Amino acid sequence: MTQARPLPVRVPLVTEPVGMLGSLQMARRNVLSIIPKIATTQPMVSGKTGKRWHMVMDPGAIRQILLDRLEDYPKSDVTKNLLRPAIGESLFIAEGAHWRWQRRAAAPVFSQRNVRNLAPVMSAAAARSAAERIAAAGPRAVNMLDEMVTTTFDVIGDVTFSGDGTFDRDKVHGAIDDYIAEAGKISLFDILGLPDWLPRPGRMMSGQALKQMKAMADQAIEARVARGHDGTPDLLDLLLEGEDPKTKRQMNTGELRDNLLTFIVAGHETTALTLAWSMYLMGFDPEMQERARAEVHAVLQGRACTGEDVDKLPLVRMIIDEALRLYPAAGIISRTAQKHDRLCDREIRPGDTVMVPIYALGRNALLWEDPDAFRPERFADRKAIDRYAYLPFGDGPRICIGASFALQEAVIILATLLGRFKFTPVPGRDPEPVMILTLRPEGGVWMTAEPLD
């Protein structure tokens, strides 16, 4: 009898009902642990924990929520309450007309041409990671989670405030981390839908850091307006120039700041996590790591990856896609139903919480063969994958505006590192997948990096 191949780490899902307080305790430790195991074998699961809720894994029903009836399923109050103190009514949170005009104004910022123009910043950050930090660690193990967070923040700092001495990156980075750590702990107040002005335990600490961060961002925006820009326009330049083609409206300083902070928070944390999980999987499957390295060597021949190389590295991209399927940064998206509806022939009432558990969707046995296994080749033919079965960036009009930026950055960094080092995991240090706001490898991704001649 052949022995089954080991599977990469996964979240133990719930096999029996837990009450409201039990759910809350579990959610404060790991939001994904409240997903019922049957969500990986069913098209839809419903229940009641204070409020009626539904978890939807059926691609047709998900399309209805994210595309066909978008206005009837706005983002849930819990999501908004958690994030509004940090990013205001920016693109990520705004609804209706206020969201639409901002999206139209910001869309050109992330055009393929602008994203490709920012690739040299990504290549330089990847080269610095390899030469200045990973190589300098010598035989010592490196926590690739911390390294990827540093590298992606390096990128977002340079493409947001290129050459701008007015912006204290370390302070901003610290404030963001503090906020994610504190605000991310789901508060019972949020689950019960209590108003914003009631103080949240655990969210008081981060208020001062947030005020400082917003003040610094405002100063940087005003300084840029005063001095203009030169060279390749960065994200701030592009946002300052952006206008809604329908109304000609442009963002004021507050709107610019909230969207800029959204891009900074979303633009480094999520890509860093995708890269950290990709590195974990490279250690988990050394054979796949060798195959990817062979592809990288054939294309790069020892240099850092550039924007022009990205399309020539299909296996590296498939590894990233598979990491996103197994460990999506946003493990659950949540909506609040506004009207009566039917999903999978089940009644939806106004006020019901409707969730798409992206984590369970990517591991649903109705949609994926051997769903818990690491198999990048499943992305060799993208047309064979149902669009609404794979949603690391969401979909519909609210699909993540920075998806192409994130994917280009992830390929450039992963390819550059695979071309320079052989990575071996530290035995007994497997990470644990834990989601508070995002799905992190708790305990870190510890690897030794052996330089390649």
Side-chain angles (χ1 to χ4, degrees), residues 3 19 21 68 99-100 182 239 259 270 308 325 349 353 357 375 381 390 414 453:
Q3 197 174 357
L21 285 173
D68 301 338
W99 169 76
R100 278 193 293 274
E182 289 303 322
L239 274 174
N259 278 297
T270 51
E308 285 69 43
R325 180 186 73 83
R349 297 179 198 160
T353 297
R375 283 198 202 156
D381 179 7
Y390 178 67
L414 184 59
D453 296 328

mmCIF file of all heavy atoms in Angstrom, residues 3 19 21 68 99-100 182 239 259 270 308 325 349 353 357 375 381 390 414 453:
data_model
loop_
_atom_site.group_PDB
_atom_site.id
_atom_site.type_symbol
_atom_site.label_atom_id
_atom_site.label_comp_id
_atom_site.label_asym_id
_atom_site.label_seq_id
_atom_site.Cartn_x
_atom_site.Cartn_y
_atom_site.Cartn_z
ATOM 1 N N GLN A 3 2.025 4.994 0.707
ATOM 2 C CA GLN A 3 1.730 5.928 1.787
ATOM 3 C C GLN A 3 1.246 7.245 1.197
ATOM 4 O O GLN A 3 1.803 7.739 0.219
ATOM 5 C CB GLN A 3 3.004 6.155 2.608
ATOM 6 C CG GLN A 3 2.716 6.766 3.955
ATOM 7 C CD GLN A 3 3.983 6.840 4.791
ATOM 8 O OE1 GLN A 3 5.028 6.375 4.365
ATOM 9 N NE2 GLN A 3 3.869 7.411 5.968
ATOM 10 N N GLY A 19 -21.933 27.710 20.579
ATOM 11 C CA GLY A 19 -22.824 28.853 20.825
ATOM 12 C C GLY A 19 -22.157 30.172 20.501
ATOM 13 O O GLY A 19 -21.016 30.230 20.038
ATOM 14 N N LEU A 21 -21.026 32.667 22.524
ATOM 15 C CA LEU A 21 -19.805 32.991 23.268
ATOM 16 C C LEU A 21 -18.643 32.102 22.842
ATOM 17 O O LEU A 21 -17.504 32.563 22.724
ATOM 18 C CB LEU A 21 -20.048 32.878 24.775
ATOM 19 C CG LEU A 21 -20.851 34.042 25.365
ATOM 20 C CD1 LEU A 21 -21.185 33.782 26.821
ATOM 21 C CD2 LEU A 21 -20.089 35.358 25.240
ATOM 22 N N ASP A 68 -24.221 40.060 -9.687
ATOM 23 C CA ASP A 68 -25.576 40.308 -10.181
ATOM 24 C C ASP A 68 -26.396 41.175 -9.240
ATOM 25 O O ASP A 68 -27.209 41.986 -9.681
ATOM 26 C CB ASP A 68 -26.323 38.975 -10.426
ATOM 27 C CG ASP A 68 -25.587 38.091 -11.431
ATOM 28 O OD1 ASP A 68 -24.791 38.635 -12.214
ATOM 29 O OD2 ASP A 68 -25.796 36.863 -11.419
ATOM 30 N N TRP A 99 -18.612 55.151 -3.382
ATOM 31 C CA TRP A 99 -17.623 54.157 -3.817
ATOM 32 C C TRP A 99 -17.372 54.279 -5.316
ATOM 33 O O TRP A 99 -16.226 54.259 -5.767
ATOM 34 C CB TRP A 99 -18.110 52.731 -3.489
ATOM 35 C CG TRP A 99 -17.259 51.697 -4.155
ATOM 36 C CD1 TRP A 99 -16.015 51.296 -3.784
ATOM 37 C CD2 TRP A 99 -17.567 50.971 -5.346
ATOM 38 N NE1 TRP A 99 -15.522 50.362 -4.668
ATOM 39 C CE2 TRP A 99 -16.457 50.148 -5.635
ATOM 40 C CE3 TRP A 99 -18.678 50.932 -6.204
ATOM 41 C CZ2 TRP A 99 -16.430 49.290 -6.744
ATOM 42 C CZ3 TRP A 99 -18.652 50.088 -7.306
ATOM 43 C CH2 TRP A 99 -17.532 49.278 -7.559
ATOM 44 N N ARG A 100 -18.467 54.440 -6.098
ATOM 45 C CA ARG A 100 -18.325 54.413 -7.566
ATOM 46 C C ARG A 100 -17.413 55.525 -8.076
ATOM 47 O O ARG A 100 -16.553 55.296 -8.917
ATOM 48 C CB ARG A 100 -19.705 54.483 -8.230
ATOM 49 C CG ARG A 100 -20.408 53.126 -8.287
ATOM 50 C CD ARG A 100 -21.612 53.144 -9.222
ATOM 51 N NE ARG A 100 -22.672 53.994 -8.714
ATOM 52 C CZ ARG A 100 -23.609 53.590 -7.838
ATOM 53 N NH1 ARG A 100 -23.602 52.352 -7.392
ATOM 54 N NH2 ARG A 100 -24.546 54.419 -7.419
ATOM 55 N N GLU A 182 -4.435 45.150 17.317
ATOM 56 C CA GLU A 182 -5.465 45.474 18.306
ATOM 57 C C GLU A 182 -6.868 45.443 17.710
ATOM 58 O O GLU A 182 -7.762 44.793 18.228
ATOM 59 C CB GLU A 182 -5.194 46.864 18.914
ATOM 60 C CG GLU A 182 -3.998 46.881 19.821
ATOM 61 C CD GLU A 182 -4.105 45.872 20.958
ATOM 62 O OE1 GLU A 182 -5.218 45.688 21.497
ATOM 63 O OE2 GLU A 182 -3.086 45.271 21.312
ATOM 64 N N LEU A 239 -2.583 59.371 -7.983
ATOM 65 C CA LEU A 239 -3.842 59.649 -7.274
ATOM 66 C C LEU A 239 -4.165 61.142 -7.288
ATOM 67 O O LEU A 239 -5.326 61.536 -7.429
ATOM 68 C CB LEU A 239 -3.754 59.162 -5.824
ATOM 69 C CG LEU A 239 -4.103 57.698 -5.566
ATOM 70 C CD1 LEU A 239 -3.816 57.352 -4.110
ATOM 71 C CD2 LEU A 239 -5.560 57.391 -5.892
ATOM 72 N N ASN A 259 -7.382 56.721 1.136
ATOM 73 C CA ASN A 259 -7.112 55.732 0.084
ATOM 74 C C ASN A 259 -5.644 55.340 0.049
ATOM 75 O O ASN A 259 -5.313 54.171 -0.158
ATOM 76 C CB ASN A 259 -7.578 56.259 -1.275
ATOM 77 C CG ASN A 259 -9.070 56.042 -1.475
ATOM 78 O OD1 ASN A 259 -9.536 54.908 -1.505
ATOM 79 N ND2 ASN A 259 -9.829 57.116 -1.554
ATOM 80 N N THR A 270 -0.856 41.996 2.562
ATOM 81 C CA THR A 270 -1.410 40.831 1.855
ATOM 82 C C THR A 270 -0.369 40.177 0.947
ATOM 83 O O THR A 270 -0.275 38.953 0.895
ATOM 84 C CB THR A 270 -2.642 41.244 1.032
ATOM 85 O OG1 THR A 270 -2.289 42.375 0.233
ATOM 86 C CG2 THR A 270 -3.804 41.628 1.927
ATOM 87 N N GLU A 308 9.447 42.685 -17.286
ATOM 88 C CA GLU A 308 9.402 41.993 -18.590
ATOM 89 C C GLU A 308 9.505 40.479 -18.438
ATOM 90 O O GLU A 308 9.087 39.727 -19.322
ATOM 91 C CB GLU A 308 10.543 42.473 -19.507
ATOM 92 C CG GLU A 308 10.341 43.846 -20.114
ATOM 93 C CD GLU A 308 10.408 44.960 -19.088
ATOM 94 O OE1 GLU A 308 11.308 44.919 -18.217
ATOM 95 O OE2 GLU A 308 9.531 45.845 -19.130
ATOM 96 N N ARG A 325 -4.738 30.033 -3.142
ATOM 97 C CA ARG A 325 -5.894 29.130 -2.982
ATOM 98 C C ARG A 325 -5.880 28.503 -1.589
ATOM 99 O O ARG A 325 -6.912 28.448 -0.904
ATOM 100 C CB ARG A 325 -5.852 28.021 -4.046
ATOM 101 C CG ARG A 325 -7.031 27.043 -3.946
ATOM 102 C CD ARG A 325 -6.869 25.881 -4.915
ATOM 103 N NE ARG A 325 -5.849 24.931 -4.517
ATOM 104 C CZ ARG A 325 -6.025 23.927 -3.638
ATOM 105 N NH1 ARG A 325 -7.192 23.754 -3.052
ATOM 106 N NH2 ARG A 325 -5.021 23.103 -3.348
ATOM 107 N N ARG A 349 -32.956 36.543 4.255
ATOM 108 C CA ARG A 349 -33.804 37.646 4.738
ATOM 109 C C ARG A 349 -32.971 38.907 4.932
ATOM 110 O O ARG A 349 -31.771 38.820 5.204
ATOM 111 C CB ARG A 349 -34.423 37.266 6.095
ATOM 112 C CG ARG A 349 -35.344 36.077 6.048
ATOM 113 C CD ARG A 349 -35.865 35.779 7.451
ATOM 114 N NE ARG A 349 -36.396 34.421 7.532
ATOM 115 C CZ ARG A 349 -36.560 33.763 8.666
ATOM 116 N NH1 ARG A 349 -36.219 34.322 9.821
ATOM 117 N NH2 ARG A 349 -37.065 32.538 8.664
ATOM 118 N N THR A 353 -26.464 37.805 7.761
ATOM 119 C CA THR A 353 -25.046 37.889 7.389
ATOM 120 C C THR A 353 -24.761 36.801 6.358
ATOM 121 O O THR A 353 -25.049 35.624 6.596
ATOM 122 C CB THR A 353 -24.151 37.685 8.624
ATOM 123 O OG1 THR A 353 -24.404 38.753 9.547
ATOM 124 C CG2 THR A 353 -22.673 37.705 8.256
ATOM 125 N N PRO A 357 -16.683 32.172 2.616
ATOM 126 C CA PRO A 357 -15.438 31.789 3.297
ATOM 127 C C PRO A 357 -14.401 31.368 2.253
ATOM 128 O O PRO A 357 -14.350 30.216 1.836
ATOM 129 C CB PRO A 357 -15.865 30.627 4.191
ATOM 130 C CG PRO A 357 -17.063 30.049 3.526
ATOM 131 C CD PRO A 357 -17.694 31.116 2.679
ATOM 132 N N ARG A 375 -0.702 21.564 -5.255
ATOM 133 C CA ARG A 375 -0.528 21.165 -6.654
ATOM 134 C C ARG A 375 -0.623 22.382 -7.574
ATOM 135 O O ARG A 375 -1.697 22.685 -8.109
ATOM 136 C CB ARG A 375 -1.649 20.199 -7.052
ATOM 137 C CG ARG A 375 -1.473 18.799 -6.544
ATOM 138 C CD ARG A 375 -2.387 17.932 -7.384
ATOM 139 N NE ARG A 375 -2.735 16.704 -6.742
ATOM 140 C CZ ARG A 375 -3.828 16.003 -7.022
ATOM 141 N NH1 ARG A 375 -4.693 16.466 -7.911
ATOM 142 N NH2 ARG A 375 -4.068 14.858 -6.428
ATOM 143 N N ASP A 381 -4.223 25.434 -16.732
ATOM 144 C CA ASP A 381 -5.287 25.863 -17.653
ATOM 145 C C ASP A 381 -6.299 26.674 -16.847
ATOM 146 O O ASP A 381 -7.223 26.138 -16.249
ATOM 147 C CB ASP A 381 -5.964 24.634 -18.293
ATOM 148 C CG ASP A 381 -7.099 25.039 -19.237
ATOM 149 O OD1 ASP A 381 -7.264 26.263 -19.488
ATOM 150 O OD2 ASP A 381 -7.829 24.146 -19.693
ATOM 151 N N TYR A 390 -12.512 30.541 -7.344
ATOM 152 C CA TYR A 390 -11.168 30.967 -6.940
ATOM 153 C C TYR A 390 -11.184 32.485 -6.802
ATOM 154 O O TYR A 390 -11.203 33.207 -7.792
ATOM 155 C CB TYR A 390 -10.158 30.519 -7.997
ATOM 156 C CG TYR A 390 -8.732 30.944 -7.705
ATOM 157 C CD1 TYR A 390 -8.042 30.421 -6.612
ATOM 158 C CD2 TYR A 390 -8.075 31.877 -8.516
ATOM 159 C CE1 TYR A 390 -6.741 30.819 -6.337
ATOM 160 C CE2 TYR A 390 -6.772 32.270 -8.254
ATOM 161 C CZ TYR A 390 -6.113 31.733 -7.163
ATOM 162 O OH TYR A 390 -4.815 32.122 -6.881
ATOM 163 N N LEU A 414 9.549 36.454 -5.512
ATOM 164 C CA LEU A 414 9.758 35.011 -5.358
ATOM 165 C C LEU A 414 10.796 34.500 -6.358
ATOM 166 O O LEU A 414 11.705 33.740 -5.996
ATOM 167 C CB LEU A 414 8.437 34.251 -5.520
ATOM 168 C CG LEU A 414 8.503 32.735 -5.289
ATOM 169 C CD1 LEU A 414 9.003 32.404 -3.887
ATOM 170 C CD2 LEU A 414 7.144 32.081 -5.527
ATOM 171 N N ASP A 453 25.859 29.263 -6.249
ATOM 172 C CA ASP A 453 27.000 29.857 -6.971
ATOM 173 C C ASP A 453 26.569 30.288 -8.360
ATOM 174 O O ASP A 453 25.714 29.706 -8.970
ATOM 175 C CB ASP A 453 28.151 28.837 -7.069
ATOM 176 C CG ASP A 453 28.670 28.505 -5.669
ATOM 177 O OD1 ASP A 453 28.625 29.410 -4.825
ATOM 178 O OD2 ASP A 453 29.074 27.364 -5.448
#
